Amino acid sequence: MGALGKPIILMVAMYMFLKFVLPNIPGSAPLPSSLIALYLLLTGSGIVIFETLSKESKDAFWSPIQRFLTGEKMGGLQALRYGVLIFFPLLVGWQTYGSTAVSDMPPTESRTIHPAPPGEYTGLSNPVPKTPENIMQGKGFYAAYCSPCHGGNFDGKGPAARGFIPAPANFADPTTIAMLQESYLFWRIKKGGVGLPIEGAPWKSAMPRWEVELPDEWIWKIIMGEYDGAHQSPRTWE
Amino acid sequence: MKPANQIMKQVLRYGAVVTVAMMIGGASLGYAQESVSVRATLITGGLPLEDPNAAVWSSAPPAMFPMSPQVHWQNRIQEVTVKDVIVRALHDGNQMAVLLEYADPTQDPDDAAALEFMVGDKKAHFAHGQPMLQVEGGPVNIWFWKNKTDKAVDMSAKGFGTLKPQEHQDVKAKGVYANGTWKIVFSRNLSTAHAEEDVQITPGEFISIAFAVWDGRKDGSGDLVEKGSQKAISSWWYFRADAPPDYSGYMYAAIAAALALGFQFVLIRKLKKGQ
């Protein structure tokens, strides 16, 4: 393999890593193409510097390039040379066009799903005794008021859910009520979507402000019924 | 050492792999788009303000949005007729027209539909701009059409119970019912003189839009099933009128390609001298 083989493999590997591996690491997101281009440029410059450090490696690195670009009587390779010489400027032009084109994408949405509750809603404990009757009653309220959106199976797929973005929360999912305290649910149910702080994008949420319709005691019962029905338990700080 | 030919072949093979990979990467970026917005296509020549069936509507890309029965506030309704709306829009730099289309098995005098927009820079809740507790909200502008009059009413709201027709009526509407489908065209100038109550549409900028539909059918005892807050609704989506075409991207691309060409030229000359 010539002196150019390894650098090229390295560049391809780097590209594959940035494009396909990195975005799949939990907590990261797809990289914008401009950032990928920047990383590749840095990798490329690093390789050129490394390869040209010593006289021998410099020659080994440049001579195939030189031969390809200037050599004579090379038959098919010469045709390929012209192909590359035409293709490279076109590629540069294409990439430039892509990076200047105005985006057709709507503004990116970054909505905090679990913003901090107001101080008075931290650390409240459920004042309703956890009896089978109370849980039953809570489930009954849930069926009447919550299931149209959050679903009879607590999965967020109620018959009225489809038109709402963000979608009604799926309580069976471990990232919703299972990681929240009862106190937090009490805040969310009482104040609804309109009670969210700005980072929660309150203008989009269909979650009703239940304090205008339901007494606190019912809300505490609903919380009990909700955890029981979704087979989850509230987060506690023991 | 291998002959130069063989090395070059290898180089080219790897080069081809890189190029193909870049193209695949670029292509997949280009298609990662969802139908989350209504795009008003810029056209020259007349807008079909009165004609939901005009051929020119085919030049506007359709966007489909799911609808829910209104179960967000009292009075609720658990089931509605309309499950989706299809929306197209056109503009000519001066006026715009929005075509709302949906399936409704019967034509009734009380059939009605509305578009809702956020007004100004302040966010407004999709439910009539109801007050938010930690964020200062703005008003909404509602364009309400009903079959009975086949006209639009230009309305404002900032909270439940505040919905009222505006003093300045700027919106027109025309509905046509055929084959179980309503098609309604709403139209207005892109901008109006009343920016505090009317949505202002600036080509190229995204604004928020929501939809509502009432099927005017009656139940067994002759009462309307869908009326007032009992309707099909959506939450916010985006709307954007296309900006006039901008060709500067082609110019930058040409400059970049010319620079790359020049670089190649210089490089080859240098290499030839070095031989």
Side-chain angles (χ1 to χ4, degrees), chain A residues 52-73:
Chain A
T52 53
L53 273 182
S54 76
K55 178 88 178 66
E56 296 91 72
S57 64
K58 185 173 163 185
D59 287 346
F61 182 71
W62 281 114
S63 62
I65 297 180
Q66 186 165 15
R67 241 170 296 152
F68 176 61
L69 287 177
T70 61
E72 274 156 34
K73 304 208 185 70

Side-chain angles (χ1 to χ4, degrees), chain A residues 1-5 8-9 11-12 15-16 19-20 31-33 40 62-72 74 77 80-81 84-97 100 102-107 109 116 118 144-145 148-149 159-166 187 191 193-198 202-213, chain B residues 1-12 14-15 17-19 21-26 28-29 32-34 36-37 39 65-74 76 78 82-84 118 123-127 130-135 206 233-238 240 242 246 248-250 252-254 256-258 260-261 263-264 267-268 270-272 274-275:
Chain A
M1 184 160 309
L4 280 181
I8 289 177
I9 291 176
M11 292 289 282
V12 174
Y15 176 79
M16 294 292 182
K19 181 79 199 172
F20 302 108
L31 277 85
S33 53
L40 286 182
W62 281 114
S63 62
I65 297 180
Q66 186 165 15
R67 241 170 296 152
F68 176 61
L69 287 177
T70 61
E72 274 156 34
M74 296 198 305
L77 273 181
L80 265 173
R81 174 201 298 168
V84 168
L85 289 182
I86 292 168
F87 184 74
F88 177 69
L90 288 178
L91 185 71
V92 169
W94 166 259
Q95 288 285 331
T96 309
Y97 178 74
T100 57
V102 200
S103 166
D104 262 347
M105 304 283 272
E109 323 266 86
Y145 299 107
C149 288
R162 63 197 311 270
F164 299 128
I165 302 285
W187 167 55
K191 302 291 175 184
V194 293
L196 290 166
I198 190 154
W203 50 89
K204 290 182 189 179
S205 171
M207 172 64 186
R209 181 180 174 186
W210 289 106
E211 67 178 350
V212 299
E213 296 176 55
Chain B
M1 214 185 134
K2 294 180 201 169
N5 250 6
Q6 218 169 320
I7 295 172
M8 285 329 301
K9 269 183 200 147
Q10 245 167 14
V11 168
L12 284 167
Y14 290 120
V17 172
V18 179
T19 315
M22 281 170 83
M23 289 173 123
I24 293 170
S28 65
L29 264 175
Q33 262 187 54
E34 288 172 19
V36 295
S37 63
R39 246 190 71 196
F65 301 102
M67 303 292 283
S68 280
Q70 193 291 103
V71 291
H72 175 68
W73 75 95
Q74 284 174 325
R76 301 192 168 83
Q78 299 298 334
V82 174
K83 306 287 191 280
D84 298 282
M118 280 192 205
K123 300 288 185 185
H125 194 274
F126 70 82
Q130 66 170 310
M132 294 174 279
L133 308 178
Q134 302 194 47
V135 176
F206 284 96
I233 60 167
S234 80
S235 49
W236 289 123
W237 299 94
Y238 283 107
R240 188 180 68 162
D242 279 354
D246 173 6
S248 62
Y250 295 110
Y252 294 131
L261 205 65
F263 165 77
Q264 285 179 352
L267 180 73
I268 288 176
K270 276 253 146 72
L271 288 175
K272 275 198 171 144
Q275 255 173 2

Side-chain angles (χ1 to χ4, degrees), chain A residues 155-173:
Chain A
D155 57 2
K157 297 198 172 72
R162 63 197 311 270
F164 299 128
I165 302 285
N170 170 0
F171 300 137
D173 183 310

Side-chain angles (χ1 to χ4, degrees), chain B residues 206-228:
Chain B
F206 284 96
I207 56 174
S208 296
I209 188 171
F211 313 98
V213 175
W214 295 257
D215 172 11
R217 74 186 187 282
K218 292 184 170 152
D219 63 15
S221 48
D223 293 326
L224 286 174
V225 180
E226 300 185 19
K227 58 180 185 298

Side-chain angles (χ1 to χ4, degrees), chain B residues 81-104:
Chain B
T81 303
V82 174
K83 306 287 191 280
D84 298 282
V85 292
I86 296 172
V87 187
R88 291 177 175 81
L90 297 167
H91 81 103
D92 63 5
N94 192 18
Q95 278 186 302
M96 69 121 151
V98 179
L99 175 65
L100 186 70
E101 177 181 337
Y102 57 87
D104 177 351

Side-chain angles (χ1 to χ4, degrees), chain A residues 111-156:
Chain A
R111 172 181 172 268
T112 306
I113 297 171
H114 295 133
E120 64 267 35
Y121 291 96
T122 54
L124 301 178
S125 48
N126 198 329
V128 177
K130 202 172 168 185
T131 62
E133 298 79 60
N134 285 338
I135 294 175
M136 274 290 285
Q137 221 187 341
K139 282 187 182 167
F141 292 142
Y142 176 92
Y145 299 107
C146 320
S147 71
C149 288
H150 292 286
N153 298 325
F154 304 85
D155 57 2

